[in-house]
Amino acid sequence: MSSHSVSKIFVVGGTGAQGLPVVRGLVSDGKYFCRILTRDSKSPRAKDLLALGNVELFEGSFMSEEDMTSGYRGCDSAYINIDGFNTGEKTETYWAMRAYELAVEDGGINFFVYGNLDFVYKKSGYNPIFRTGHYDGKGRVGDWLLAEHESNRRNLPGSYKMAVAVFTTGPYIEMTIARGGPMSPAIMTDDDGEKVDVWRAPLGEGAVAHVALDDCAHYARWIFDDPARSNGTNLEVAMDHVHYADLAKAFEKVTGHRARYVDTPMEEYWKSGPMSAYADQVAGYSADRNDPASMTVKQNFTGFWNMWRHSGNNQGVIRRNYAFLDQIHPSRIRNVEEYFRREDEEGRNAGKGSLWERVQPENISPILKVHMDAKRAVSD
C-alpha cells in the first residue's frame, strides 16, 4: 500500500492494556499508521508497540495543549483513551473535552474516536449508590461528544466537519486472572489441604459485562474501517455478562483444579479483599487527594460493584446488544469458558505455563498499566 493512502491516527492511551490490542489491530495490515503519545518512549510497552511496525512514538502528555496540538499535526484521525486511574475523574473530564476541542481546532482530524466507559450514574437515574468516578468521568464526556456531533449534524451555528464515534468497553476478563485489580483471584487451601482458586467479590447474583482485550482489535477496526456507519454511534461491547459462580465453574472445567466464588459483604471486601490495602487512597494516583472532587478507591469501587450487582443476566443497569456484536464480530469470544481455554492454550504454547500455573501467587502478574505507572510515580 502506498504511503499516501495510509490513514495516520494519533493515539492517546496506546501503551495501556486496551491500547496494545487496538494499535495491533489497526496496523496489522498496513492500512493505518499510528502515532502513539507516551511519556516514556523507552518503556517496555512502548517498545512492543514500535516493534509492530507502522508505529511512531511521540513523547509528551495528554495534559499539555502543546503536546496534543503537535500530536494531531499531520494526522487525519484520533483515538483518545485517557487513563482515569492516572488523572482521577475531574482531570480526565477536562482533558478529554480539551482533546476533542483541540482536534477540531487542528482542522486536519476527520475522525475522532473516544475510548469510553458506561455513564453508570446517569444510566441508574443518578442514583448515588452507583457513583463510580472512573466510569462517570468517561461516560459524561462520551455523552457530551455525541451531543456535540448531533448539533454539528444539524448544521447549527459553529458547526464543523469531523466525524465522532464512542467506543465503550468495561472490565477486562483478563483482570480475573491478574494481580492488583478489584476481581483478582487468591489461591487458598481448603480443609482437606487442596488448593482452590477463589474469587471474593461483593457481587451477589449480579454479573460483570467483561470485555476480552483481543476482541478490542476487531471492534476498533470496525469503527475506523467504516466511519460512515460508526459516525455518531456509541459501540458498547462486552464478551458476556459473567456471573462469578459460572466463572469458577469454567475455571474448574478448563484447568481441572478447584475454584470457588465467594459472595462477600461490601464491608468485608474492604477489610480483606484484593484492594483493601489501598482502600483509603485517592482513586487516581496523580489526583489531588485534598480536592473535594476526588474519590477514594473505596468510594469509587463501591459504586463499581453496586453497578454489577444490579446488572445480572443482561437485564439491569448495564446492558449489551450481543446480537449486534455477533453481527459485526462473528468470531468474538462469547463466554468465559471459551476465554479460559484460549488463555490456557496460548500460555502453554508461549512457554508461560498452564492457566493454573499462571494464577499461582509467585507467577500472577498485573494487566493494567496503572500498576506500573503508580510504582514509577512513587519512585520518581
Side-chain angles (χ1 to χ4, degrees):
M1 183 176 290
S2 60
S3 60
H4 67 81
S5 65
V6 176
S7 175
K8 192 169 186 177
I9 305 172
F10 179 51
V11 178
V12 173
T15 58
Q18 182 186 136
L20 294 170
V22 165
V23 173
R24 186 168 60 247
L26 290 173
V27 304
S28 60
D29 58 1
K31 183 176 181 179
Y32 301 99
F33 184 98
C34 289
R35 175 185 292 163
I36 312 295
L37 182 71
T38 176
R39 285 170 292 161
D40 182 5
S41 60
K42 296 180 175 58
S43 72
R45 289 193 176 190
K47 291 179 179 178
D48 287 344
L49 287 171
L50 196 61
L52 294 172
N54 287 333
V55 167
E56 67 178 10
L57 302 176
F58 177 77
E59 285 198 347
S61 170
F62 60 80
M63 291 187 284
S64 164
E65 292 191 4
E66 181 179 357
D67 290 344
M68 291 295 289
T69 298
S70 297
Y72 285 134
R73 193 170 298 128
C75 294
D76 55 67
S77 301
Y79 177 74
I80 308 298
N81 186 21
I82 291 176
D83 183 3
F85 291 125
N86 174 344
T87 63
E89 177 185 7
K90 181 178 178 180
T91 300
E92 178 176 12
T93 301
Y94 173 80
W95 281 107
M97 296 176 78
R98 284 300 289 141
Y100 173 81
E101 292 168 348
L102 291 169
V104 175
E105 182 181 305
D106 176 79
I109 301 298
N110 300 315
F111 194 21
F112 185 95
V113 179
Y114 178 64
N116 190 47
L117 292 169
D118 293 271
F119 194 177
V120 61
Y121 187 36
K122 178 179 178 180
K123 286 187 173 184
S124 70
Y126 296 99
N127 185 330
I129 72 167
F130 296 103
R131 274 285 287 124
T132 307
H134 74 287
Y135 268 65
D136 297 335
K138 286 186 182 297
R140 69 170 58 90
V141 174
D143 275 13
W144 177 77
L145 288 171
L146 294 175
E148 283 285 293
H149 173 268
E150 177 60 20
S151 66
N152 190 41
R153 186 187 66 80
R154 293 163 56 198
N155 295 315
L156 297 180
S159 59
Y160 44 85
K161 292 183 178 180
M162 187 171 76
V164 172
V166 173
F167 179 36
T168 300
T169 58
Y172 312 132
I173 189 61
E174 289 79 1
M175 294 166 67
T176 66
I177 53 172
R179 174 171 57 83
M183 62 279 295
S184 294
I187 300 295
M188 304 181 72
T189 303
D190 254 1
D191 293 339
D192 57 8
E194 186 173 355
K195 287 185 176 181
V196 184
D197 199 13
V198 177
W199 286 271
R200 297 175 63 238
L203 185 58
E205 298 300 315
V208 181
H210 276 297
V211 175
L213 281 171
D214 282 347
D215 284 342
C216 290
H218 182 97
Y219 292 129
R221 282 300 297 255
W222 181 85
I223 290 171
F224 280 98
D225 284 352
D226 193 0
R229 185 176 185 184
S230 61
N231 182 28
T233 66
N234 180 359
L235 177 61
E236 298 181 324
V237 307
M239 176 190 77
D240 190 15
H241 273 62
V242 179
H243 294 261
Y244 275 26
D246 295 335
L247 179 84
K249 290 177 183 177
F251 188 89
E252 277 194 356
K253 189 174 181 180
V254 170
T255 66
H257 292 270
R258 288 167 60 184
R260 183 184 309 134
Y261 159 57
V262 179
D263 183 27
T264 307
M266 192 74 75
E267 282 306 311
E268 178 58 34
Y269 176 84
W270 288 115
K271 290 177 182 177
S272 59
M275 306 181 78
S276 57
Y278 41 98
D280 295 327
Q281 294 181 14
V282 66
Y285 62 82
S286 296
D288 181 358
R289 65 182 62 249
N290 296 315
D291 187 337
S294 294
M295 301 181 78
T296 65
V297 169
K298 180 178 179 179
Q299 290 170 330
N300 184 84
F301 281 94
T302 294
F304 173 89
W305 283 116
N306 282 332
M307 165 173 43
W308 302 120
R309 284 180 67 88
H310 292 81
S311 297
N313 298 308
N314 196 25
Q315 295 177 353
V317 178
I318 305 300
R319 305 184 186 192
R320 293 291 186 261
N321 184 345
Y322 290 112
F324 178 67
L325 297 180
D326 289 342
Q327 174 189 329
I328 67 172
H329 188 6
S331 61
R332 72 179 185 86
I333 299 173
R334 287 177 167 79
N335 58 66
V336 70
E337 182 182 336
E338 181 183 351
Y339 168 75
F340 281 155
R341 289 198 182 281
R342 290 193 189 189
E343 193 68 20
D344 185 68
E345 180 180 0
E346 290 176 4
R348 291 174 187 270
N349 291 340
K352 297 178 180 179
S354 68
L355 180 56
W356 172 255
E357 291 169 327
R358 287 185 290 125
V359 299
Q360 300 306 304
E362 65 273 17
N363 297 328
I364 193 168
S365 59
I367 185 69
L368 297 179
K369 185 171 178 284
V370 62
H371 298 293
M372 293 180 290
D373 286 351
K375 183 176 180 181
R376 181 174 62 182
V378 170
S379 62
D380 285 348

